[in-house]
Amino acid sequence: MPIPTPFHPRTAALCTSMFWKEWAGYHAVRSYDVSHEREYFALRNGAGVLDVSPLHKYELRGPGAADLLSRITVRDIRKLRVGRVTYLCWCNDDGKILDDGTVSRLDDQHFRLTAAEPTFAWLHRFTGPHDVTIEDSSERLAALAIQGPTSRDALARICDAPLHRLPFFGVTRARLQEVDVWISRTGYTGDLGYEIWVDREHALTVWDAIMAVGLDHRVLPLGLDALDVARIEAGFIMNGVDYWGAHHCLVPSRQSTPYELGLGWTVNLDREPFVGQAALRAERARGPAWATVGLRYDWDEYEALFARFGLPPHVPLAAWRDGVPVYGSDGRQVGRATSGAWSPLLKANLALASVRPEHAALGTRLRIEVTVEYERHQISAIVSKTPFFNPERKRSA
Amino acid sequence: MTQGATKTSSSAPPGAAGSPISGVGQPRDRSYDVIVVGGGHNGLVCAAYLAKAGKKVLVLERRHVLGGAAVSEQVFPGFTFSVCSYVVSLFRPHIIRELGLVDHGFHVIPLDCSFLPLPDGRSLARFGDYARTRREIAQFSPRDAEVYPEFGLAMSKLARFSKHVIDHPPPEPTSLAPRELLQLLRLGRGYQALDRDVRYLNLKLLTMSAADFLDEWFESEVLKGPMSVSGIIGTMLGVRSPGTAYVLLHHYMGEIDGAFRAWGFSKGGTGAVSYAIAAAARGFGVEIVTEATVDHVRITSGRATGVVLESGNEITAKAVVSGCDPHRTYFGLIGEQHLEPELVGQLRRYKLRGSSGKVNLAVDRLPDFTCRPGPGPHLEGDIAIVPNVDYVERAYDEAKYGAFSSRPYLNVVIPSLVDPTVAPPGKHVISCFVQYAPYDLEGGPERWPRQREAFGDTVVDTLAEYCPGLKESILHRQVLTPWDLEHEFGLTEGNIFHGELSLEQLLFQRPMAGWARYRTPIRNMWMCSSGTHPGGGIMGAPGELAAKAMLKAGAA
């Protein structure tokens, strides 16, 4: 049975649709209204406020914290500067991915790791020689994301942090309505946006402060359904949807490596030993077995297919995450699309897919399965660059 | 503080970074394949398609800003008005794709709600949420609440048939040429594919008045009020005038393009649509020059050979295409001396007679409606001031005899609520489409400038009856009468559609029987404006179909 997050008194009052889902043991809003469309357009034109408290959070403190994180993740965290955040993943000894998340360097000897799954035990398994304490701050800390083009202007009105100087993937301490918070310029929407980290007893103060200025900046509460569309536009993969952590895989074929998931860029391979290093080195030498790509459906074929049934092209309002097979031009299956969405912004049908590397070049025409009137058909889908949506404002000063 | 329509400043000045405008006053060359007269959205679409096909194309725009009536301007600093047209309706999805407009900033935020405040404190809000809408309508008629989706389905079936019509050049029913017959046959097949009852419905739709047609379905005058007015927008007819019913379809056409949600606010105002098209056109090599007024088209031996600018400069072209309305195209650009008297007579009978005006407000807070106080989704769509069918018919009565309505039908939108780029934080822009404002004011249309502020006051007074604090919240006001639409935007008689969308002026008769396929009697002289098939609205279809017709004919 899920439990409420620290923001629940506010989100519950607003969630008139009663559309909830479970997220890491917590109640999370899918959409406040019966459709998430309004929230989606607020996110891309104003801003959306999303309760991300269910994220697992760990504080690593002490002189050995950087060494420990460098040991267990694919990044050399010792190089991360104070006030910066980095995205990364971590693997088992076989180089198979367990989870992905971020590490913030809040202080010389204080790091915060976020994860989709409980990771406390895994962290402890490697503390051995390192002088480090680990706190599971998941319960203590509430987290609120404010994402979208007006997020900076809205947030700047209620906190003292110089947000214009906070770089993409920067993190800073701030005072917000007499409350101490951490603000990081991070998020899961591929847009300009921030995440606010605050002790749970002050969560509602933060929420209320944002909402008090929200109307001036088109800030709406955002649920996970709109987020799901946004993250696909941003080309972000998701644990448990586009891949599975190795700890949860019954069969090896379900496991993935960072290279297969397009996360090779996060791997600092040539350095002191880290978990999975040997396997990843070998994989880099021989090349990954899969490639993660973006797909755009061929709209003309899509429309024509529906027209054969006398129907206008059906566009799902919600993102989907039940995989569909992807075929090569010869009709043989070459992979699967693991999630996808119609992008109202790009006016395109998008998918994230895992395909054999020889079919992964940009512009390659693959075939994707589409079901119309209970019949299975195939249309072309073109391997496309991700992020599909990458506005300048995401990184701009 | 009030101000007339004349002072304007462009939101994207020529030469500014990212501006699609390549020059001011004077084009670079003296000779082009095609000159497009008028940088309205259809002219730009036409230019883009021609350039995409490899033609050397020049667009000449009289004003300092692109878009024609699809234009965004910062009339007052910090507030961007969609000065004339205010929502994007039916912009063709395939044009968005074929011209790659999304990459150039085309972004439409869908409208979800139609809100109807009533003077007695009740109100009706129709949402995309079916169950919620049913409850809303049931306040007035439980029966209508259930019929409403039934009506929607029937109209959607018809709209699917109409989609074929607007996406192709008009058929020519008087010709026996095989190609024409084939097209008619295709159209007929589409028609036959409709259910029998839907075919009968179509006949009613084409002949009845909007009010009568809705009477066959609904009982609530409150519901029929806002539904009926979509039949009269831009025409000098009332909701009880025969032939107004078919425009009801337009609303449901948007549903057919549902995937594209092409019915909504353009981010940055409707001018942003024009700028996206212009940017795409520029990408295809089109040269776009503003503040270049074409005086007339050079016609030699019945053939257009170029244009003469007001400055006296002459530019030659293998073809000229006009984005102006039929009146300005034939009487202004071509000149009566080049036309047969019979044709001149036909043109004079072409009905323009504008019937609407526009009031744009910059306000320091959101309007607060007595019947539904506070902000909310009901303010984020369109807001109709039309409490019942009689109200709008009375408004028409006054207009028939040369007065603007003392209590007009208003279609109000607050785009700044969903698009923060058009107003400073906390402040808003309110756009009021107003009908009726007859061009032919008693005493003559030239009396309009003296009536402008009284007209503006009437509109504000009307709206303020529903949201009392409105007047105190107004920072700036822009009032556009049909006279202003004619003189500032070149819309003859202030007709927003380049001629009424009445049945006798549609399809193979738009603008004239015999000259409905984007051609004119002058060789190499073409038309691509809303005065051609399929007509007005930010659709892009006339521009696209004209370009395709020109390319097919080997023009230029």
Side-chain angles (χ1 to χ4, degrees):
Chain A
M1 173 84 82
I3 58 170
T5 76
F7 295 105
H8 193 81
R10 297 294 182 269
T11 53
L14 292 164
C15 186
T16 50
S17 68
M18 303 283 180
F19 284 5
W20 297 85
K21 72 196 278 187
E22 187 263 1
W23 175 14
Y26 292 90
H27 291 295
V29 175
R30 277 185 50 203
S31 65
Y32 288 86
D33 202 344
V34 290
S35 153
H36 64 263
E37 191 173 56
R38 182 166 172 257
E39 295 163 35
Y40 169 85
F41 279 96
L43 165 67
R44 292 303 189 205
N45 290 286
V49 174
L50 177 74
D51 177 6
V52 291
S53 305
L55 279 173
H56 292 277
K57 297 159 286 252
Y58 304 94
E59 313 296 309
L60 292 88
R61 294 187 181 90
D67 289 335
L68 172 63
L69 285 166
S70 303
R71 173 94 174 85
I72 61 165
T73 76
V74 296
R75 281 247 200 225
D76 188 350
I77 290 298
R78 289 163 305 187
K79 289 181 178 162
L80 185 68
R81 284 182 289 151
V82 173
R84 292 302 170 100
V85 188
T86 189
Y87 171 74
L88 43 64
C89 58
W90 49 100
C91 302
N92 64 14
D93 270 336
D94 301 329
K96 302 296 185 185
I97 193 165
L98 297 173
D99 201 353
D100 65 312
T102 61
V103 169
S104 306
R105 187 165 204 166
L106 305 179
D107 199 341
D108 193 41
Q109 297 187 6
H110 179 190
F111 296 82
R112 177 175 296 144
L113 172 76
T114 64
E117 295 182 28
T119 308
F120 192 65
W122 182 253
L123 289 169
H124 269 280
R125 220 178 273 190
F126 299 92
T127 45
H130 305 291
D131 184 3
V132 57
T133 63
I134 302 168
E135 178 207 357
D136 183 343
S137 52
S138 306
E139 274 291 303
R140 178 174 65 79
L141 284 180
L144 194 65
I146 175 165
Q147 305 274 308
T150 64
S151 57
R152 176 155 52 204
D153 291 343
L155 200 50
R157 279 176 62 182
I158 53 168
C159 78
D160 66 352
L163 294 179
H164 282 270
R165 292 209 299 275
L166 186 67
F168 186 54
F169 270 77
V171 60
T172 181
R173 230 182 242 288
R175 292 280 288 173
L176 193 157
Q177 303 281 81
E178 310 305 313
V179 172
D180 285 316
V181 298
W182 287 97
I183 297 176
S184 57
R185 188 166 165 185
T186 48
Y188 199 51
T189 61
D191 214 309
L192 173 66
Y194 302 85
E195 287 169 308
I196 304 164
W197 313 84
V198 60
D199 280 328
R200 65 177 297 136
E201 61 266 30
H202 299 304
L204 298 184
T205 308
V206 172
W207 178 281
D208 293 341
I210 291 177
M211 287 307 168
V213 299
L215 185 61
D216 288 355
H217 300 275
R218 184 55 173 174
V219 180
L220 291 186
L222 182 76
L224 294 177
D225 283 1
L227 179 77
D228 222 11
V229 176
R231 70 103 187 165
I232 285 164
E233 291 173 334
F236 294 146
I237 54 167
M238 189 177 222
N239 185 350
V241 174
D242 302 295
Y243 78 90
W244 284 267
H247 288 162
H248 299 289
C249 298
L250 210 51
V251 288
S253 61
R254 272 249 159 159
Q255 302 178 347
S256 301
T257 72
Y259 293 111
E260 292 171 349
L261 294 174
L263 300 184
W265 61 277
T266 66
V267 181
N268 304 138
L269 200 52
D270 301 313
R271 55 183 176 96
E272 282 104 286
F274 65 92
V275 181
Q277 185 182 39
L280 290 173
R281 190 169 276 151
E283 187 190 1
R284 190 176 63 170
R286 85 176 166 261
W290 294 96
T292 296
V293 297
L295 295 178
R296 277 175 189 255
Y297 288 44
D298 183 307
W299 183 264
D300 291 330
E301 287 185 27
Y302 191 71
E303 194 168 18
L305 174 60
F306 279 84
R308 275 164 52 191
F309 294 82
L311 291 170
H314 171 70
V315 166
L317 196 57
W320 51 265
R321 44 172 71 178
D322 21 46
V324 290
V326 172
Y327 304 90
S329 48
D330 60 358
R332 260 191 288 196
Q333 185 168 355
V334 298
R336 68 265 175 180
T338 46
S339 59
W342 163 256
S343 166
L345 193 75
L346 304 175
K347 309 238 175 272
N349 241 338
L350 310 175
L352 298 174
S354 190
V355 298
R356 292 296 180 192
E358 58 271 26
H359 299 280
L362 287 182
T364 306
R365 284 186 91 82
L366 299 173
R367 309 283 294 167
I368 194 163
E369 189 174 290
V370 176
T371 303
V372 189
E373 287 299 278
Y374 318 101
E375 285 182 17
R376 289 175 176 175
H377 296 269
Q378 289 175 23
I379 63 152
S380 296
I382 296 110
V383 176
S384 305
K385 200 166 145 273
T386 57
F388 298 108
F389 176 64
N390 194 17
E392 222 171 85
R393 62 185 181 243
K394 180 176 85 179
R395 292 168 170 274
S396 66
Chain B
M1 195 171 158
T2 61
Q3 191 174 341
T6 43
K7 291 218 179 60
T8 50
S9 69
S10 160
S11 49
S19 168
I21 298 169
S22 33
V24 175
Q26 192 57 43
R28 281 194 292 267
D29 288 332
R30 307 208 51 88
S31 174
Y32 293 82
D33 290 334
V34 182
I35 295 172
V36 179
V37 183
H41 89 279
N42 274 315
L44 293 167
V45 166
C46 183
Y49 272 102
L50 291 168
K52 195 181 171 192
K55 304 296 176 196
K56 182 182 174 189
V57 183
L58 171 69
V59 175
L60 295 170
E61 168 56 40
R62 178 178 53 87
R63 298 190 70 217
H64 63 289
V65 57
L66 291 173
V71 65
S72 302
E73 295 185 60
Q74 287 215 4
V75 181
F76 306 102
F79 296 91
T80 302
F81 287 155
S82 290
V83 178
C84 302
S85 67
Y86 54 99
V87 287
V88 180
S89 56
L90 301 178
F91 194 89
R92 308 314 304 138
H94 63 273
I95 300 179
I96 299 172
R97 282 198 308 282
E98 288 170 7
L99 299 182
L101 298 185
V102 170
D103 296 337
H104 294 288
F106 180 93
H107 179 42
V108 172
I109 306 168
L111 266 79
D112 185 58
C113 180
S114 288
F115 175 51
L116 177 81
L118 295 169
D120 61 8
R122 294 183 300 165
S123 61
L124 168 66
R126 289 173 287 154
F127 296 92
D129 177 350
Y130 161 72
R132 190 174 178 186
T133 301
R134 182 161 53 76
R135 285 195 305 274
E136 288 269 357
I137 298 174
Q139 299 175 84
F140 302 96
S141 162
R143 196 193 145 273
D144 286 359
E146 277 184 36
V147 173
Y148 189 73
E150 243 179 79
F151 178 78
L153 182 66
M155 296 299 273
S156 297
K157 285 180 183 172
L158 278 177
R160 272 180 52 213
F161 170 66
S162 307
K163 181 176 147 65
H164 180 89
V165 177
I166 65 171
D167 283 340
H168 294 87
E172 178 50 67
T174 61
S175 166
L176 292 176
R179 197 197 294 164
E180 303 294 345
L181 290 175
L182 210 65
Q183 200 188 340
L184 280 173
L185 187 70
R186 202 164 25 201
L187 211 57
R189 280 216 188 107
Y191 190 66
Q192 288 301 315
L194 295 170
D195 298 341
R196 200 180 147 91
D197 50 341
V198 176
R199 275 182 270 154
Y200 285 129
L201 187 68
N202 191 42
L203 294 178
K204 290 188 172 182
L205 199 67
L206 291 175
T207 51
M208 291 177 83
S209 76
D212 284 346
F213 185 77
L214 290 169
D215 278 343
E216 297 208 341
W217 290 79
F218 301 106
E219 61 186 15
S220 164
E221 291 298 308
V222 169
L223 176 63
K224 281 183 283 185
M227 290 182 81
S228 65
V229 281
S230 47
I232 49 107
I233 285 178
T235 75
M236 193 57 199
L237 292 170
V239 291
R240 296 209 170 98
S241 313
T244 52
Y246 94 95
V247 192
L248 298 173
L249 261 192
H250 267 229
H251 182 81
Y252 292 90
M253 300 285 295
E255 305 285 314
I256 290 301
D257 296 331
F260 277 79
R261 293 310 299 263
W263 186 277
F265 295 118
S266 164
K267 181 184 179 179
T270 52
V273 174
S274 304
Y275 272 86
I277 303 164
R282 190 97 199 264
F284 293 126
V286 174
E287 186 182 341
I288 300 171
V289 178
T290 52
E291 295 173 66
T293 306
V294 175
D295 185 76
H296 62 274
V297 172
R298 172 71 71 201
I299 295 167
T300 316
S301 322
R303 177 192 296 263
T305 58
V307 302
V308 180
L309 298 181
E310 230 173 37
S311 61
N313 287 334
E314 189 163 342
I315 309 153
T316 63
K318 295 175 193 153
V320 177
V321 51
S322 166
C324 305
D325 67 43
H327 201 271
R328 285 174 81 92
T329 302
Y330 280 101
F331 295 135
L333 297 176
I334 294 174
E336 213 176 311
Q337 70 275 22
H338 295 287
L339 302 170
E340 298 286 334
E342 169 54 25
L343 192 109
V344 171
Q346 265 198 65
L347 275 167
R348 294 218 184 281
R349 290 189 292 274
Y350 182 75
K351 291 197 294 284
L352 287 138
R353 49 180 203 187
S355 60
S356 60
K358 184 84 191 294
V359 173
N360 298 311
L361 305 173
V363 293
D364 67 4
R365 76 201 85 136
L366 271 177
D368 199 17
F369 283 82
T370 318
C371 59
R372 224 175 263 223
H378 63 289
L379 300 182
E380 294 171 10
D382 73 303
I383 304 165
I385 302 297
V386 50
N388 52 55
V389 176
D390 281 346
Y391 174 96
V392 65
E393 188 66 13
R394 254 184 228 116
Y396 175 56
D397 287 345
E398 291 172 283
K400 271 190 289 195
Y401 305 109
F404 59 80
S405 312
S406 52
R407 278 298 171 265
Y409 156 60
L410 302 183
N411 194 253
V412 179
V413 294
I414 315 169
S416 48
L417 251 180
V418 297
D419 173 14
T421 66
V422 296
K427 300 187 167 65
H428 290 281
V429 295
I430 304 181
S431 150
C432 310
F433 170 86
V434 193
Q435 196 158 330
Y436 296 81
Y439 177 78
D440 273 319
L441 213 51
E442 194 183 358
E446 59 283 358
R447 286 190 61 244
W448 262 116
R450 271 177 293 147
Q451 292 286 308
R452 185 187 294 127
E453 295 311 321
F455 173 65
D457 290 344
T458 297
V459 172
V460 171
D461 288 345
T462 304
L463 188 55
E465 285 175 5
Y466 301 83
C467 31
L470 177 73
K471 285 183 198 172
E472 294 72 39
S473 72
I474 297 174
L475 301 170
H476 310 286
R477 180 171 102 178
Q478 180 192 35
V479 182
L480 296 173
T481 69
W483 180 263
D484 301 316
L485 293 175
E486 177 174 70
H487 287 82
E488 185 68 29
F489 297 94
L491 299 166
T492 303
E493 295 190 22
N495 189 296
I496 59 172
F497 292 141
H498 287 193
E500 281 190 352
L501 296 177
S502 46
L503 279 170
E504 75 282 10
Q505 298 196 159
L506 287 180
L507 297 162
F508 51 89
Q509 303 197 91
R510 191 166 188 87
M512 275 180 298
W515 301 107
R517 294 264 182 92
Y518 315 99
R519 292 175 186 268
T520 71
I522 309 299
R523 285 181 66 190
N524 303 335
M525 175 77 201
W526 297 74
M527 285 187 68
C528 69
S529 74
S530 296
T532 58
H533 175 81
I538 307 181
M539 227 185 323
E544 176 222 351
L545 293 173
K548 289 180 176 171
M550 290 172 73
L551 292 168
K552 202 168 172 186

